[in-house]
C-alpha cells in the first residue's frame, strides 16, 4: 500500500490542483496538468506531500489487513464452536 501511495502521488497532486482551479484546467486532461506542474517546479512539485501520503496509505492498509485477519480468526473460532 505504501509503495502504491508513493507511486501515485504525482497523479494525486495533479488531480487536487485540477479540482482547486477548475477554470485553469477546463477542457485539459491529466497529461497537460502533470506537464504544466512539472514545468512549474520539476519533480519536486509533483512529489509534494509524498511522505505524509505514503505514511497515511501504509498505515491505513496495515490497519485494514490487520482488522481483516483479526475478524477472520475471531469468526472462525465462533463459527466452529
Amino acid at each position: 500500500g505504501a509503495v502504491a501511495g508513493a507511486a501515485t502521488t504525482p497523479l494525486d497532486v495533479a488531480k487536487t490542483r485540477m479540482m482547486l482551479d477548475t477554470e485553469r484546467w477546463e477542457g485539459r486532461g491529466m497529461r497537460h496538468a502533470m506537464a504544466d506542474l512539472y514545468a512549474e517546479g520539476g519533480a519536486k512539485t509533483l512529489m509534494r506531500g509524498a511522505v505524509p501520503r505514503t505514511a497515511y496509505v501504509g498505515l491505513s492498509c496495515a490497519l485494514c489487513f490487520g482488522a481483516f485477519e483479526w475478524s477472520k480468526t475471531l469468526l472462525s473460532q465462533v463459527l466452529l464452536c
Side-chain angles (χ1 to χ4, degrees), residues 22-65:
T22 56
E23 291 178 9
R24 177 180 176 188
W25 306 106
E26 189 171 342
R28 302 175 75 198
M30 181 67 73
R31 186 181 69 208
H32 289 104
M34 290 184 72
D36 285 357
L37 290 172
Y38 185 80
E40 179 183 308
K44 186 176 181 179
T45 300
L46 288 172
M47 294 304 289
R48 183 166 290 162
V51 173
R53 184 166 192 270
T54 301
Y56 168 77
V57 171
L59 289 173
S60 176
C61 287
L63 287 172
C64 182
F65 286 127

